[in-house]
Amino acid sequence: MCRHLSKSAPIFLLLALSGLLFLLRNILTLENLSFHKVSTLIQLQNSSPTAIAQKGPLPPYHNPTFCRHLGLEPTPDEALEDRYLLNAIAWPKPPAHSSPAPLNQTSDPVHSLFAILPSEGRREWRVGGQLEALIQMHDFQGRPKRYGGDFLVARLHSPELGAGVAGKVVDHLNGSYSALFPLLWGGPARVEITMVHSSEAVAVLQRLREQRPNRVFFKSLFRSGELSETTVCIPCLPPSYPQEPLCDHTDPHTGEPWYCLKPKLLGCDARINHAMGGYQKPLYTHEEELLFQRSGARLYRSCHFRTLEMCFILVCFITRSRVNIKVVLRASGPDRINVLPKKTELENSSIKPEPVKYTPSGYYYQGSWRSFGGTPARQFNDSSSVTQCLTGKVIHMYGDSTVRQWFEYLSAFIPEFNLRSPKKVGPLMAVDGKHNILLKYRCHGPPIRILPVSTSELRYVANELDGLAGGPDTVVVFSIWGHFTSFPVEVYIRRMRHIRRALVRLLDRGPGTLVVIRSANFVAMDQETSVHSSDWFSLQLDRVLRTMFTGLAVVFVDAWEMTLAHHLPHNIHPPPAIIKNMMDLILSHVCPDKKMKS
């Protein structure tokens, strides 16, 4: 067999080299496309490319999940809100086919391009204006996509100035997109467009969320004397679930449902803890797996056979470009601009101002976050400034590990009181008797992927809020999103609705209570984590969160934009530089500078 392979080796080598040369030629051709050519291509698909096209009408959200029958039936008003929220986050889907599209017909970030549009017909940008880039998605064969639904994110940044701002991406539903950026600083700025998921990958995530919500499952230990049993616990019971006896652990106050399989020898009241169970596998088909390639290493290893030698290694090198999770797109022309200072009043008098189309929550400049509207952020760079700000305050923190990270930051300034509870579980407490500061953290109720936690310490945030008196010296902080990403959105809506009601009651009885809500943030992703923790899941929950709490007297910390606009890699637990900016923003609201505020 080796003799036959050696005879064929020159042929394989020639084919591989031809393929490599063809690939390089295509790349060079794409890189040399002029701005005019790319703009013309997009104009063929959009009659007004410089205008912000509105999304076309999307079909009403239809949710086939089996989670809705659990818990209390929604009231007519709740059902109306559910429908409004689900329609608001409806995502465009690829055209229906009898079978999934092959990989070569899906969105390829390597072939896709973006182009910066001139400002008001000139290649000149000034502070206070807006930059627009047009994006055209292509498949792996280099053909333009004709439908939308790709999950793209954008940022404008300047490493030289420590500056960055999140952009807004508008889907034109025809394979082209617009990215909008406000121009907030003078000097260099670079556009960066990233494809997080292709539209085909998003369709897979939608299917998993609605049809396989129990792909993350949990367990509980039941114990009585020397007898113990462990059973599976899940919040969503499909109609086909085995007809086994269940333990109903629904919360009596909020009505939040939670079920465990009943132990064979013990009663339901013998449940003593809650813990992460595991992840169901497999969830993808082979074709679907190809839509979630973080790097080419797996493909490279899979074809690295000793008998196929150099020719097949070259072929594998070519296939390594087929990655489609969080890949930065290339520009057809320059991806950098130089922003000039604002024009003087005299210069502006003869120029029609450009309409403002997008305003972010804030931006970075010289490494510091500058928020728009409300209380301006100050710097709290030492222990004395932090303790002075928090003097006389009681801070209650609830939620997942992303808010526990804030507790850990503050506990460096406030001595932690040892409650002999696991650090990653809690509850946690820090006390400064001299400055009369009390800081507390407690994790939220299930679902939560966590080390074993006693059921007595596993409490719902709404119930905890109902136990607070509130008032001007009380600060309530919560972040709840990371453990809900694998479940249908209705599960999250129901939880936020209970918390919202509890917050309204708290603000009524304790006027002056400061409530801080932390949004979701970007995370590191690969094929394994995408099935339950994709940024797309987080984006959907984040939109629901913002909509449900709009109009309440609360402060939002926009972790979504703060992690997108920053140059550091994405992580479920953002790095210290981002955390400090978040905490400076919170402390600025706890003790605002009266002079700056006025």
Side-chain angles (χ1 to χ4, degrees), residues 314-346:
L314 286 173
V315 173
C316 293
F317 173 79
I318 296 172
T319 64
R320 293 182 71 184
S321 66
R322 291 196 168 191
V323 296
N324 41 27
I325 296 181
K326 286 197 176 180
V327 183
V328 176
L329 274 59
R330 293 177 299 108
S332 63
D335 62 354
R336 295 171 174 82
I337 63 169
N338 187 60
V339 183
L340 302 176
K342 282 185 177 181
K343 287 184 176 290
T344 63
E345 291 186 9
L346 181 61

Side-chain angles (χ1 to χ4, degrees), residues 478 496 500 503 517 545-552 554 556:
F478 76 84
M496 292 302 104
R500 184 178 61 186
L503 279 179
I517 301 177
L545 174 76
R546 294 168 192 263
T547 303
M548 292 189 70
F549 287 89
T550 296
L552 289 183
V554 299
F556 277 101

Side-chain angles (χ1 to χ4, degrees), residues 103-389:
L103 179 66
N104 61 5
Q105 296 179 18
T106 65
S107 300
D108 176 19
V110 173
H111 283 90
S112 301
L113 298 167
F114 73 89
I116 297 175
L117 294 182
S119 175
E120 289 291 315
R122 307 178 304 276
R123 279 195 171 274
E124 179 183 283
W125 293 269
R126 292 187 177 272
V127 173
Q130 185 162 256
L131 181 146
E132 181 177 351
L134 287 178
I135 307 161
Q136 176 60 55
M137 299 301 295
H138 293 75
D139 62 21
F140 281 92
Q141 300 179 59
R143 298 178 304 186
K145 294 289 290 295
R146 301 298 182 187
Y147 52 88
D150 298 295
F151 179 19
L152 307 176
V153 295
R155 72 176 178 127
L156 186 70
H157 64 112
S158 175
E160 302 93 330
L161 300 175
V165 65
K168 178 181 180 180
V169 176
V170 177
D171 187 350
H172 300 298
L173 302 177
N174 60 3
S176 67
Y177 302 77
S178 294
L180 308 175
F181 307 93
L183 299 178
L184 303 169
W185 63 84
R190 179 184 178 185
V191 174
E192 183 177 284
I193 310 293
T194 301
M195 187 187 87
V196 183
H197 289 303
S198 66
S199 56
E200 295 78 13
V202 171
V204 174
L205 296 178
Q206 287 180 296
R207 177 183 64 80
L208 291 176
R209 184 179 65 184
E210 309 305 343
Q211 299 178 12
R212 300 291 296 275
N214 294 322
R215 58 192 182 280
V216 177
F217 61 93
F218 306 87
K219 62 183 180 180
S220 277
L221 176 65
F222 294 76
R223 178 183 293 161
S224 178
E226 296 183 356
L227 188 62
S228 64
E229 293 181 61
T230 299
T231 70
V232 172
C233 303
I234 49 178
C236 293
L237 298 176
S240 59
Y241 205 77
Q243 297 298 315
E244 299 184 38
L246 296 173
C247 288
D248 184 352
H249 296 292
T250 297
D251 180 64
H253 301 289
T254 63
E256 286 286 350
W258 192 257
Y259 296 89
C260 297
L261 291 179
K262 187 179 184 304
K264 298 184 182 303
L265 301 176
L266 294 173
C268 293
D269 56 357
R271 177 173 175 251
I272 65 169
N273 74 8
H274 166 90
M276 173 65 183
Y279 302 97
Q280 288 184 354
K281 296 179 181 179
L283 295 169
Y284 297 130
T285 65
H286 173 67
E287 291 75 14
E288 290 173 342
E289 280 188 0
L290 299 177
L291 299 173
F292 298 90
Q293 297 294 330
R294 185 66 178 92
S295 70
R298 180 178 177 186
L299 289 173
Y300 181 80
R301 288 194 303 268
S302 67
C303 55
H304 208 319
F305 299 104
R306 296 179 181 177
T307 55
L308 301 184
E309 300 179 351
M310 188 64 184
C311 57
F312 278 1
I313 294 177
L314 286 173
V315 173
C316 293
F317 173 79
I318 296 172
T319 64
R320 293 182 71 184
S321 66
R322 291 196 168 191
V323 296
N324 41 27
I325 296 181
K326 286 197 176 180
V327 183
V328 176
L329 274 59
R330 293 177 299 108
S332 63
D335 62 354
R336 295 171 174 82
I337 63 169
N338 187 60
V339 183
L340 302 176
K342 282 185 177 181
K343 287 184 176 290
T344 63
E345 291 186 9
L346 181 61
E347 291 174 311
N348 278 331
S349 61
S350 61
I351 299 177
K352 184 179 180 181
E354 185 178 359
V356 176
K357 301 173 183 175
Y358 166 59
T359 301
S361 64
Y363 68 104
Y364 289 103
Y365 188 74
Q366 296 180 345
S368 297
W369 181 256
R370 302 183 177 188
S371 58
F372 287 114
T375 303
R378 296 154 51 204
Q379 299 291 309
F380 295 82
N381 296 324
D382 52 50
S383 177
S384 61
S385 62
V386 174
T387 54
Q388 182 181 358
C389 176

